[in-house]
Amino acid sequence: MKKSILSALLAVTLATGLLAGCGSKGNDTANSSSKDTEAPTEKSSGSGATAKARTLDEIKKDGTIKIGVFSDKNPFGYVDKNGEIQGYDVYFAKRIAKDLLGSENDVEFVYLDAASRVEYLKSAKVDITMANFTVTDERKEQVDFALPYMKVALGVVSPEDSLITDVDQLNGKTLIVVKGTTAETYFSENYPDIKLLKFDEYQEAYDALLDGRGDAFSTDNTEVLAWALQNKGFKVGIESIGNIDTIAAAVQKGNTELLDWINEEIKSLADEQFFHKDFEETLEPVYGDSIAPDEIVVEGGIVEE
């Protein structure tokens, strides 16, 4: 998926919210901040929430904001060899903590997997979910999304010696997906005859591809490209499939003050081209010149076609 991804992305009409995207299942694991991540038990009316989200004032008073991120989705949210959380989403989360509370260290990262991001918002275990969260119509009914900061489609990675370049080649074969992702929904709805091997976590899915339990793996094209560049013998044979979607932070439904603050933050960060800097720091070292920033970066919440 070299520079051709740009034409592939631009050629598809932007369609947010048609797929049921990348999810997560939580570990309640956090960074060096030791604040309690146990969800309150208070019942809340509307949107299926089981605990009331903290208000903007409550977060400021506490001095720490809880943000859900991936810990195994390089280069968007992952724990590096030194045990530090890194990635495109993490870079933004730290800036939110700095501008809201005064220091990027005022964020408590809660690690999620792909099936529990909505639930962690509903149960108020996190204030914000920022784990490469795809905006979909189904999720809009359950959480409130902020303005987008990234755009993405699906891709398929497979071994070079048995490369999958067309969906029809998956007939009679096994496609690996992560539960609760756009890939699982897309292939279940559009290609029901393709056998899906499903995992809870991204690392489990990649391990299955490496040891041959599946013929290919599908998730966000930005991620499979990064993984293929780092794993010799694998290639992204299908560079873009399905609709172009957007990635955004989300809050518990009805948490309007926090949502408005995030939206204003995203708009103001456009003046300094923040997400292009984020790309340079976290994604460019992985992609090199395989992807240009404007192919995936969204500034000011405005999606450029």
Side-chain angles (χ1 to χ4, degrees):
M1 182 170 88
K2 300 213 172 193
K3 297 228 181 211
S4 59
I5 189 175
L6 177 57
S7 57
L9 289 172
L10 294 179
V12 185
T13 302
L14 175 68
T16 62
L18 296 180
L19 305 176
C22 317
S24 350
K25 156 189 160 183
N27 287 332
D28 272 351
T29 314
N31 67 350
S32 57
S33 174
S34 59
K35 297 209 177 259
D36 186 8
T37 57
E38 186 70 27
T41 57
E42 177 183 352
K43 295 290 182 180
S44 172
S45 61
S47 72
T50 58
K52 189 177 185 301
R54 296 194 300 169
T55 65
L56 190 61
D57 285 342
E58 287 171 337
I59 292 169
K60 289 179 179 179
K61 183 177 180 180
D62 180 70
T64 302
I65 187 164
K66 299 176 183 179
I67 300 181
V69 296
F70 284 127
S71 64
D72 63 349
K73 192 170 184 178
N74 188 350
F76 301 100
Y78 67 100
V79 177
D80 67 16
K81 61 183 180 181
N82 297 317
E84 298 294 328
I85 186 69
Q86 306 284 357
Y88 186 79
D89 294 340
V90 173
Y91 190 95
F92 180 32
K94 289 180 177 180
R95 180 59 181 266
I96 283 178
K98 180 181 178 181
D99 290 349
L100 179 63
L101 301 173
S103 170
E104 66 177 30
N105 295 321
D106 291 333
V107 57
E108 179 179 346
F109 288 112
V110 179
Y111 299 156
L112 305 172
D113 70 23
S116 63
R117 288 181 302 185
V118 168
E119 179 56 36
Y120 265 45
L121 286 173
K122 286 185 173 182
S123 59
K125 291 181 180 180
V126 297
D127 302 304
I128 305 171
T129 288
M130 202 177 293
N132 218 227
F133 208 1
T134 304
V135 179
T136 71
D137 283 343
E138 181 181 358
R139 286 183 174 174
K140 286 179 181 178
E141 296 177 358
Q142 303 181 76
V143 302
D144 285 337
F145 283 100
L147 294 171
Y149 59 89
M150 184 177 162
K151 52 191 174 182
V152 70
L154 292 176
V156 178
V157 62
S158 53
E160 285 184 311
D161 58 6
S162 53
L163 190 64
I164 301 296
T165 59
D166 187 273
V167 177
D168 290 339
Q169 292 175 273
L170 289 168
N171 291 329
K173 297 185 178 180
T174 298
L175 177 65
I176 300 165
V177 296
V178 174
K179 295 176 184 178
T181 63
T182 50
E184 180 192 16
T185 302
Y186 178 79
F187 284 99
S188 296
E189 293 181 351
N190 295 285
Y191 298 95
D193 294 333
I194 294 176
K195 180 182 177 181
L196 299 182
L197 178 59
K198 304 177 182 182
F199 292 94
D200 290 320
E201 298 181 1
Y202 282 92
Q203 190 57 56
E204 293 175 330
Y206 283 122
D207 289 344
L209 181 61
L210 285 168
D211 63 26
R213 280 176 282 162
D215 299 287
F217 173 50
S218 180
T219 188
D220 294 349
N221 54 8
T222 49
E223 187 193 345
V224 289
L225 172 62
W227 188 85
L229 289 170
Q230 296 173 322
N231 289 269
K232 187 176 180 180
F234 291 86
K235 186 176 180 179
V236 178
I238 300 178
E239 301 171 354
S240 181
I241 188 171
N243 298 296
I244 299 297
D245 292 307
T246 55
I247 301 294
V251 301
Q252 189 180 101
K253 201 156 191 67
N255 198 355
T256 306
E257 286 187 350
L258 180 56
L259 182 69
D260 290 345
W261 187 93
I262 297 170
N263 284 337
E264 289 304 313
E265 173 80 344
I266 289 172
K267 292 175 184 178
S268 66
L269 290 175
D271 294 336
E272 62 185 77
Q273 291 289 283
F274 171 82
F275 290 105
H276 280 77
K277 293 177 183 176
D278 190 349
F279 180 97
E280 291 172 7
E281 292 288 332
T282 64
L283 303 186
E284 191 173 87
V286 176
Y287 293 133
D289 62 359
S290 298
I291 297 181
D294 288 340
E295 295 178 44
I296 63 175
V297 169
V298 175
E299 294 284 3
I302 300 174
V303 178
E304 303 284 350
E305 293 191 30

